[in-house]
Amino acid sequence: MNTKPDETAIVVKGLNHWFGTGEARKQAIYDVDLSFRRGSLTVLMGPSGSGKTTFLTLIGCLRDVMDGSVQLLGHELNGASTATNEMLRRRSGFIFQAHNLHESLSAIQNVMMGLQVHGRGIDKRQTREAAAHILGLVGLADRVEYLPGNLSGGQKQRVAVARALVGNPEVVFADEPTAALDRESGMNVVKILKRLGAERGTTTIMVTHDGRILEQADRIVTLEDGRVVGKSDAAP
Amino acid sequence: MTRLLERLLGRLPIGWLQLTHNRARLYSAIAGVAFANVLVIVQLGIAGSMTTATLQQYAYFDADIMISAEDANSMTEGGNVARQRLFQALADPGVTGGVSLFVANLAWERPKGQVLLQIFGVDPHATGFLNPEMAHKVAQLPLLNAAIIDRNTRGLDAEMLGGIRPHSPETFEYSGKTISLVDSFSGGGGFGTDGYLFVSDQTFLNLFGKRISGAPDHILLQVARGEDVGAVVARLRDTIGDKSLRIRSFADARAEDLAYQNTQRPTGLIFGFGVVIGILVGIVIVYQVLSTDVAAHLREYATFKAMGYSHKFFLGIVLEEAMILAIFGFAPGVIVASGLLSILHAKTGLPVAMTAETAIMVFVGTLAACALSGAIATRRLAAADPADLF
Ligand SMILES: Nc1ncnc2c1ncn2[C@@H]1O[C@H](COP(=O)(O)OP(=O)(O)O)[C@@H](O)[C@H]1O
Ligand SMILES: [Mg+2]
């Protein structure tokens, strides 16, 4: 476990990634070097198919690193053990492009799953209260017992956001989380993430094309054909 | 239910919630498991009837040792034994008594067709070699041509046979002789014959003119209390010295007959084959049910995996589902299977039935098959990156 307060949350060096084998083998990420400061909000941009999702899943510990190095919270992901992967996944929050909620669990049960992953020791009532609280923050206080099937696309995405954030993650990976949200709730989610960054040092890496979010970003990284073609510190 | 499971598991009962979320899928899964249960229970019931029917014949007697001809693989098969062997055996200090046992098949020609009876000729004065119920009834047999009939005989009216009393006998003709049925007992048909008939040894010889008292089919012996049956058997083999005879403990004779029925006779082999096929098909059905369920939830599981849940967690869910399906499939499975077995029993008169052991065995087997199938089905989840499963 890395406990010393490090300034960088993620360090990426010489990262390459390929899909497929043999003739069909195709490179999706080319030689990426990047680092992400703790507590910062980075926006990842680029045309469709440029490798944003691939990059995010690689540094987010959802895809094995084949070539190069990714250090997430001080742990090397290339060749990491199953236990290390699971530990790092528990310390991060992932918001998927599709909401990926569990259809047979209610909104609050879905969110509770984000806490229960930390073990059996947690008090059930506290878990419920924490889940209800965060659902309130994303504006779903009156929808806690709804099944995903009875929620709108935007509401489901907000449940997914709550699920990712309920466990107080040190890093949040978000793949176009606001695509299904109206402008107001989208901005609300970004505001929450910004606040977590300031209060708890939560690092956020978000794929988005939303202009208003770009304004909130500490930094914008642009990918094209699997390469970093631009890094800019946005206006504060 | 959800609350109960939540307390039991210490986590949300995801398996239960998942199964009950899609009722149509739940019912078809339960139906699948129930069908697998029916298949196996019915096959076991049929195969078990062979055992029940075989053991039934031995249950009428109370003996420690049985001497039979070399080719006597069962009660009814094989040649005779010289009565001389009985006297030789009685000379052994460990042997307290012995009797001759005659066995044959007798066809009772009836207007509606033939009824084949397995007939035992026993000494009516040596009732100590019979079980208590039979001993009591056989005591009435010294009368020539009197007989006691199995009231469950296939093709006969059980109620009519049950009404038979010594003072109101039924009679029938066999090879020019009149047999009087003076009493009945509860037997149950076997595979070779429709039922049983007990007569005295004298009557037996009277009915089967070619048989002689000096050559019974088997010799039954009893040994003194506290005597080691195995040791007496070994001594008798030595003193009798006829290597062509089968001198065995009664328990061994019964076990060897059973093994013979199950592994040498076509019926036994076919039943055993039926059980194996039933179990295989049952496993395939259960595997299909569980792997379909896992496949249907793979995306959701991948999300849990992405959140940091370990493989143990998924195995827990699958095991939870396996338990639920095994329990819910078992009840209807048992009800349908015992219904089918009782129809089969009514139609054939064979002792096909579901025993408690069979039921427990099938339940445990189902649970194991469900759990194993689920565990195998989650292997894909273990191997893949979560990102590839969305
Ligand atoms: N699982 C996969 N198998 C094969 N190719 C893939 C897979 N995922 C992504 N790709 C390819 O990799 C490239 C980058 O995809 P992706 O990371 O999804 O881009 P973006 O998120 O920027 O739209 C694309 O050319 C895409 O076709
Ligand atoms: Mg994408």
Side-chain angles (χ1 to χ4, degrees):
Chain A
M1 288 280 280
N2 177 25
T3 47
K4 66 172 183 279
D6 197 320
E7 279 304 292
T8 45
I10 309 170
V11 183
V12 181
K13 283 201 186 108
L15 182 67
N16 288 290
H17 197 80
W18 293 265
F19 285 110
T21 49
E23 289 279 300
R25 191 167 158 97
K26 181 176 167 291
Q27 189 156 4
I29 298 291
Y30 291 85
D31 208 27
V32 172
D33 292 297
L34 273 178
S35 60
F36 299 84
R37 197 165 44 77
R38 270 187 195 262
S40 66
L41 168 62
T42 303
V43 163
L44 209 54
M45 289 179 58
S48 173
S50 60
K52 303 180 298 292
T53 298
T54 306
F55 180 69
L56 207 63
T57 52
L58 281 168
I59 64 173
C61 209
L62 301 190
R63 197 183 279 294
D64 274 346
V65 174
M66 297 174 166
D67 186 50
S69 157
V70 175
Q71 296 242 341
L72 173 60
L73 299 169
H75 295 268
E76 176 59 54
L77 295 188
N78 193 341
S81 68
T82 307
T84 303
N85 279 329
E86 284 168 4
M87 177 270 291
L88 289 171
R89 286 171 193 159
R90 286 197 288 271
R91 288 169 67 185
S92 342
F94 217 103
I95 304 166
F96 307 91
Q97 211 161 351
H99 59 83
N100 284 1
L101 293 182
H102 202 91
E103 288 297 323
S104 54
L105 300 183
S106 66
I108 193 161
Q109 287 172 329
N110 265 291
V111 176
M112 285 163 72
M113 291 305 293
L115 268 182
Q116 290 191 341
V117 71
H118 295 285
R120 277 173 162 243
I122 309 152
D123 180 66
K124 213 189 97 189
R125 235 193 55 224
Q126 282 177 346
T127 306
R128 265 197 90 82
E129 277 168 8
H133 174 72
I134 196 136
L135 279 171
L137 284 186
V138 295
L140 291 175
D142 56 345
R143 293 285 188 277
V144 289
E145 297 299 344
Y146 279 51
L147 286 173
N150 299 328
L151 294 172
S152 72
Q155 289 168 336
K156 282 191 269 209
Q157 189 59 289
R158 279 185 277 161
V159 175
V161 170
R163 179 179 63 185
L165 299 184
V166 71
N168 286 332
E170 293 164 64
V171 194
V172 173
F173 302 95
D175 197 351
E176 305 197 36
T178 55
L181 299 181
D182 58 74
R183 307 201 109 234
E184 199 189 330
S185 19
M187 280 319 289
N188 184 30
V189 167
V190 174
K191 245 183 269 166
I192 295 169
L193 288 170
K194 280 287 276 189
R195 207 180 71 214
L196 289 176
E199 287 173 4
R200 298 177 185 156
T202 307
T203 312
T204 303
I205 299 121
M206 182 187 290
V207 175
T208 187
H209 298 286
D210 190 323
R212 295 211 301 171
I213 297 174
L214 297 184
E215 288 168 20
Q216 299 285 321
D218 297 310
R219 187 171 56 153
I220 297 165
V221 173
T222 310
L223 280 180
E224 226 166 85
D225 290 332
R227 294 182 170 85
V228 176
V229 294
K231 276 187 270 187
S232 72
D233 289 324
Chain B
M1 186 73 182
T2 305
R3 285 273 158 73
L4 177 78
L5 283 170
E6 185 166 5
R7 181 144 317 155
L8 233 59
L9 295 166
R11 60 161 166 81
L12 284 172
I14 294 167
W16 168 255
L17 292 168
Q18 210 160 259
L19 282 174
T20 50
H21 182 65
N22 188 335
R23 292 294 161 118
R25 195 154 62 204
L26 173 65
Y27 295 144
S28 75
I30 289 175
V33 174
F35 181 71
N37 276 316
V38 169
L39 206 61
V40 175
I41 292 173
V42 168
Q43 290 297 346
L44 283 173
I46 292 172
S49 68
M50 174 62 89
T51 303
T52 310
T54 303
L55 297 183
Q56 170 84 74
Q57 310 163 66
Y58 291 86
Y60 293 130
F61 302 97
D62 180 7
D64 298 315
I65 295 172
M66 181 156 119
I67 302 179
S68 319
E70 186 178 27
D71 53 354
N73 288 315
S74 67
M75 275 271 190
T76 47
E77 284 178 39
N80 313 319
V81 186
R83 192 174 45 180
Q84 180 62 24
R85 304 305 177 199
L86 171 59
F87 303 132
Q88 274 179 291
L90 286 172
D92 188 285
V95 175
T96 54
V99 283
S100 297
L101 174 64
F102 295 87
V103 190
N105 285 346
L106 178 151
W108 177 1
E109 301 296 343
R110 293 175 43 89
K112 280 192 205 155
Q114 189 188 70
V115 171
L116 194 63
L117 296 166
Q118 181 172 331
I119 175 167
F120 289 109
V122 297
D123 182 348
H125 304 291
T127 54
F129 285 85
L130 291 159
N131 76 30
E133 189 206 349
M134 291 313 295
H136 177 72
K137 305 212 167 196
V138 164
Q140 311 163 13
L141 288 181
L143 222 72
L144 193 66
N145 290 348
I148 308 169
I149 191 160
D150 173 0
R151 75 178 85 94
N152 300 327
T153 299
R154 191 166 28 226
L156 296 183
D157 180 358
E159 221 165 294
M160 180 273 282
L161 295 178
I164 291 173
R165 294 288 177 272
H167 54 268
S168 58
E170 287 282 331
T171 61
F172 72 92
E173 298 289 315
Y174 179 75
S175 69
K177 278 131 192 151
T178 305
I179 300 174
S180 321
L181 303 173
V182 295
D183 205 348
S184 71
F185 63 96
S186 169
F191 286 84
T193 52
D194 298 315
Y196 298 103
L197 192 72
F198 274 77
V199 296
S200 71
D201 40 9
Q202 287 310 311
T203 302
F204 185 94
L205 296 170
N206 186 38
L207 291 174
F208 300 92
K210 288 195 187 113
R211 299 296 303 268
I212 51 165
S213 62
D217 293 280
H218 305 279
I219 289 166
L220 301 181
L221 303 174
Q222 285 175 344
V223 303
R225 256 167 181 265
E227 191 77 40
D228 176 17
V229 174
V232 178
V233 165
R235 275 207 304 273
L236 291 178
R237 281 178 185 157
D238 223 38
T239 51
I240 291 176
D242 185 347
K243 287 278 178 289
S244 75
L245 286 182
R246 295 174 86 160
I247 304 174
R248 303 166 286 177
S249 73
F250 197 64
D252 283 350
R254 188 172 50 201
E256 283 169 24
D257 189 348
L258 197 56
Y260 171 72
Q261 301 296 341
N262 283 329
T263 63
Q264 308 285 314
R265 298 289 307 270
T267 353
L269 285 172
I270 286 168
F271 290 169
F273 192 66
V275 170
V276 170
I277 295 290
I279 288 174
L280 286 180
V281 173
I283 287 174
V284 168
I285 292 172
V286 163
Y287 177 76
Q288 205 55 42
V289 166
L290 264 293
S291 62
T292 305
D293 183 82
V294 169
H297 294 101
L298 205 58
R299 276 171 57 103
E300 296 174 329
Y301 291 158
T303 309
F304 285 147
K305 188 173 176 179
M307 288 162 67
Y309 282 97
S310 67
H311 198 61
K312 242 174 56 188
F313 171 78
F314 302 114
L315 289 179
I317 295 178
V318 167
L319 203 68
E320 182 190 332
E321 294 199 342
M323 286 274 226
I324 292 166
L325 290 177
I327 291 168
F328 282 78
F330 183 67
V334 161
I335 292 168
V336 172
S338 40
L340 286 177
L341 286 176
S342 57
I343 292 172
L344 211 57
H345 174 69
K347 293 269 180 223
T348 63
L350 291 173
V352 285
M354 183 188 62
T355 62
E357 291 108 87
T358 310
I360 291 168
M361 222 165 66
V362 169
F363 176 70
V364 172
T366 308
L367 192 59
C370 282
L372 211 66
S373 306
I376 291 169
T378 51
R379 277 197 318 194
R380 191 160 103 77
L381 183 65
D385 285 338
D388 281 329
L389 299 172
F390 296 142

